[in-house]
Coordinates of all heavy atoms in Angstrom, one line a residue:
D133 N 51.2 5.8 -38.1 CA 50.1 5.0 -37.8 C 48.9 5.3 -38.6 O 48.1 4.5 -39.1 CB 49.7 5.1 -36.3 CG 50.8 4.4 -35.4 OD1 51.6 3.7 -35.9 OD2 50.7 4.6 -34.2
D134 N 48.7 6.7 -38.8 CA 47.6 7.1 -39.6 C 47.7 6.6 -41.0 O 46.7 6.2 -41.6 CB 47.5 8.7 -39.6 CG 46.7 9.3 -38.5 OD1 46.1 8.5 -37.8 OD2 46.8 10.5 -38.3
Y135 N 48.9 6.7 -41.5 CA 49.1 6.3 -42.9 C 48.9 4.8 -43.1 O 48.3 4.4 -44.1 CB 50.5 6.7 -43.4 CG 50.6 6.5 -44.9 CD1 49.9 7.4 -45.7 CD2 51.4 5.5 -45.5 CE1 49.9 7.2 -47.1 CE2 51.4 5.3 -46.8 CZ 50.7 6.2 -47.6 OH 50.7 6.0 -49.0
S136 N 49.4 4.0 -42.2 CA 49.1 2.5 -42.4 C 47.7 2.2 -42.3 O 47.1 1.3 -43.0 CB 50.0 1.7 -41.5 OG 49.7 2.0 -40.1
F137 N 47.0 2.9 -41.4 CA 45.6 2.8 -41.2 C 44.8 3.2 -42.5 O 43.9 2.5 -43.0 CB 45.3 3.9 -40.2 CG 44.0 3.9 -39.5 CD1 43.8 3.3 -38.3 CD2 43.0 4.7 -40.1 CE1 42.5 3.4 -37.7 CE2 41.8 4.8 -39.5 CZ 41.5 4.1 -38.3
Y138 N 45.3 4.2 -43.1 CA 44.8 4.7 -44.4 C 45.0 3.7 -45.5 O 44.1 3.4 -46.3 CB 45.4 6.0 -44.7 CG 45.2 6.6 -46.1 CD1 44.0 7.2 -46.4 CD2 46.1 6.5 -47.1 CE1 43.7 7.7 -47.6 CE2 45.9 7.1 -48.4 CZ 44.7 7.7 -48.6 OH 44.4 8.2 -49.9
K139 N 46.2 3.2 -45.6 CA 46.6 2.2 -46.6 C 45.7 1.0 -46.5 O 45.2 0.5 -47.5 CB 48.0 1.8 -46.5 CG 48.9 2.3 -47.6 CD 50.3 1.9 -47.7 CE 50.7 0.7 -46.9 NZ 52.2 0.7 -46.7
K140 N 45.4 0.6 -45.3 CA 44.6 -0.6 -45.1 C 43.2 -0.4 -45.6 O 42.6 -1.2 -46.3 CB 44.5 -0.9 -43.6 CG 44.6 -2.4 -43.2 CD 44.3 -2.6 -41.8 CE 45.4 -2.3 -40.8 NZ 45.0 -2.4 -39.4
L141 N 42.7 0.9 -45.4 CA 41.3 1.2 -45.9 C 41.3 1.3 -47.4 O 40.3 1.0 -48.0 CB 40.8 2.5 -45.2 CG 40.4 2.3 -43.7 CD1 40.2 3.7 -43.1 CD2 39.2 1.5 -43.6
R142 N 42.3 1.9 -47.9 CA 42.4 2.1 -49.4 C 42.4 0.7 -50.1 O 42.0 0.6 -51.2 CB 43.6 2.9 -49.8 CG 43.5 4.4 -49.5 CD 42.3 5.0 -50.2 NE 42.4 5.0 -51.7 CZ 41.4 5.4 -52.5 NH1 40.3 5.9 -51.9 NH2 41.4 5.3 -53.8
Q143 N 43.1 -0.2 -49.5 CA 43.3 -1.5 -50.2 C 42.0 -2.4 -50.1 O 42.0 -3.5 -50.7 CB 44.5 -2.3 -49.5 CG 45.8 -1.8 -50.0 CD 47.0 -2.1 -49.1 OE1 46.7 -2.8 -48.1 NE2 48.2 -1.7 -49.5
Q144 N 41.1 -1.9 -49.4 CA 39.8 -2.6 -49.3 C 39.2 -2.7 -50.7 O 38.9 -1.7 -51.3 CB 38.9 -1.7 -48.4 CG 37.8 -2.4 -47.7 CD 38.3 -3.3 -46.5 OE1 39.4 -3.0 -46.0 NE2 37.6 -4.3 -46.2
T145 N 38.9 -4.0 -51.2 CA 38.3 -4.1 -52.5 C 36.8 -4.2 -52.3 O 36.0 -3.7 -53.1 CB 38.8 -5.4 -53.2 OG1 38.7 -6.5 -52.3 CG2 40.2 -5.1 -53.7
K146 N 36.4 -4.9 -51.1 CA 35.0 -4.9 -50.8 C 34.7 -3.8 -49.7 O 35.5 -3.8 -48.8 CB 34.6 -6.3 -50.2 CG 33.7 -7.1 -51.2 CD 33.4 -8.5 -50.6 CE 33.0 -8.5 -49.2 NZ 33.1 -9.8 -48.6
P147 N 33.7 -3.0 -49.9 CA 33.5 -2.0 -48.9 C 33.2 -2.6 -47.5 O 32.6 -3.6 -47.4 CB 32.2 -1.3 -49.4 CG 31.9 -1.8 -50.8 CD 32.7 -3.0 -51.0
I148 N 33.7 -1.9 -46.5 CA 33.5 -2.3 -45.1 C 32.0 -2.0 -44.8 O 31.5 -0.9 -45.0 CB 34.4 -1.5 -44.1 CG1 35.8 -1.9 -44.3 CG2 33.9 -1.8 -42.7 CD1 36.8 -1.2 -43.5
T149 N 31.3 -3.0 -44.2 CA 30.0 -2.7 -43.6 C 30.0 -3.4 -42.3 O 30.7 -4.3 -42.0 CB 28.9 -3.3 -44.5 OG1 29.1 -4.7 -44.6 CG2 28.8 -2.7 -45.9
G150 N 29.1 -2.8 -41.4 CA 29.1 -3.4 -40.0 C 27.9 -2.9 -39.2 O 27.4 -1.8 -39.6
N151 N 27.6 -3.5 -38.2 CA 26.5 -3.1 -37.3 C 27.0 -3.1 -35.8 O 27.9 -3.9 -35.5 CB 25.3 -4.0 -37.3 CG 24.7 -4.0 -38.7 OD1 24.3 -2.9 -39.2 ND2 24.6 -5.1 -39.3
D152 N 26.4 -2.3 -35.0 CA 26.6 -2.3 -33.5 C 28.1 -2.4 -33.1 O 28.6 -3.4 -32.7 CB 25.8 -3.5 -32.9 CG 24.3 -3.4 -33.2 OD1 23.9 -2.3 -33.4 OD2 23.7 -4.5 -33.2
I153 N 28.8 -1.3 -33.3 CA 30.2 -1.2 -32.9 C 30.3 -0.1 -31.8 O 29.9 1.0 -32.0 CB 31.1 -0.7 -34.1 CG1 30.6 -1.3 -35.4 CG2 32.5 -1.0 -33.8 CD1 31.2 -0.7 -36.6
P154 N 30.7 -0.4 -30.6 CA 31.0 -1.8 -30.1 C 29.7 -2.6 -29.9 O 28.6 -2.0 -29.8 CB 31.7 -1.6 -28.7 CG 31.3 -0.2 -28.3 CD 31.0 0.6 -29.6
D155 N 29.8 -3.9 -29.8 CA 28.6 -4.7 -29.6 C 28.1 -4.6 -28.1 O 28.8 -3.9 -27.3 CB 28.8 -6.2 -30.0 CG 29.9 -6.9 -29.1 OD1 30.2 -6.4 -28.0 OD2 30.4 -7.9 -29.6
S156 N 27.1 -5.4 -27.7 CA 26.6 -5.2 -26.4 C 27.5 -5.7 -25.3 O 27.3 -5.5 -24.1 CB 25.2 -5.9 -26.3 OG 25.3 -7.2 -26.8
Y157 N 28.6 -6.4 -25.7 CA 29.6 -6.7 -24.7 C 30.8 -5.7 -24.6 O 31.8 -6.0 -24.0 CB 30.2 -8.1 -25.0 CG 29.1 -9.2 -25.0 CD1 28.6 -9.7 -26.2 CD2 28.6 -9.7 -23.8 CE1 27.6 -10.6 -26.3 CE2 27.6 -10.7 -23.9 CZ 27.1 -11.1 -25.1 OH 26.1 -12.0 -25.1
G158 N 30.7 -4.7 -25.4 CA 31.7 -3.7 -25.4 C 32.9 -4.0 -26.3 O 33.9 -3.4 -26.3
H159 N 32.7 -5.1 -27.2 CA 33.7 -5.6 -28.0 C 33.7 -4.9 -29.4 O 32.6 -4.7 -30.0 CB 33.6 -7.1 -28.1 CG 34.7 -7.7 -29.0 ND1 36.0 -7.8 -28.6 CD2 34.6 -8.2 -30.3 CE1 36.7 -8.4 -29.6 NE2 35.8 -8.6 -30.6
I160 N 34.9 -4.6 -29.9 CA 35.0 -4.1 -31.3 C 35.8 -5.1 -32.1 O 36.9 -5.4 -31.8 CB 35.6 -2.7 -31.3 CG1 34.8 -1.7 -30.6 CG2 35.9 -2.2 -32.8 CD1 35.4 -0.3 -30.4
E161 N 35.2 -5.6 -33.2 CA 35.9 -6.5 -34.1 C 37.1 -5.8 -34.7 O 36.9 -4.6 -35.2 CB 35.0 -6.9 -35.2 CG 34.6 -8.4 -35.2 CD 33.7 -8.7 -36.4 OE1 34.3 -8.8 -37.5 OE2 32.5 -8.7 -36.2
P162 N 38.3 -6.4 -34.7 CA 39.5 -5.7 -35.2 C 39.3 -5.1 -36.6 O 39.7 -4.0 -36.9 CB 40.6 -6.7 -35.2 CG 40.1 -7.7 -34.1 CD 38.6 -7.7 -34.1
A163 N 38.5 -5.9 -37.5 CA 38.3 -5.4 -38.9 C 37.5 -4.1 -38.9 O 37.5 -3.4 -39.9 CB 37.6 -6.5 -39.7
L164 N 36.7 -3.9 -37.9 CA 35.9 -2.7 -37.9 C 36.5 -1.5 -37.1 O 35.9 -0.4 -37.0 CB 34.5 -3.0 -37.3 CG 33.7 -4.0 -38.1 CD1 32.4 -4.4 -37.3 CD2 33.3 -3.4 -39.4
E165 N 37.7 -1.7 -36.5 CA 38.3 -0.7 -35.7 C 38.6 0.6 -36.5 O 38.3 1.7 -36.0 CB 39.6 -1.2 -35.1 CG 39.6 -0.8 -33.6 CD 40.6 -1.7 -32.9 OE1 41.8 -1.5 -33.2 OE2 40.2 -2.4 -32.0

Side-chain angles (χ1 to χ4, degrees):
D133 289 351
D134 272 352
Y135 191 70
S136 61
F137 191 96
Y138 171 76
K139 250 187 14 205
K140 226 190 279 172
L141 287 170
R142 284 301 299 175
Q143 281 161 359
Q144 203 75 25
T145 48
K146 249 180 45 201
I148 292 177
T149 58
N151 294 306
D152 299 335
I153 324 172
D155 64 20
S156 46
Y157 302 101
H159 178 73
I160 297 175
E161 244 182 83
L164 293 175
E165 228 164 62

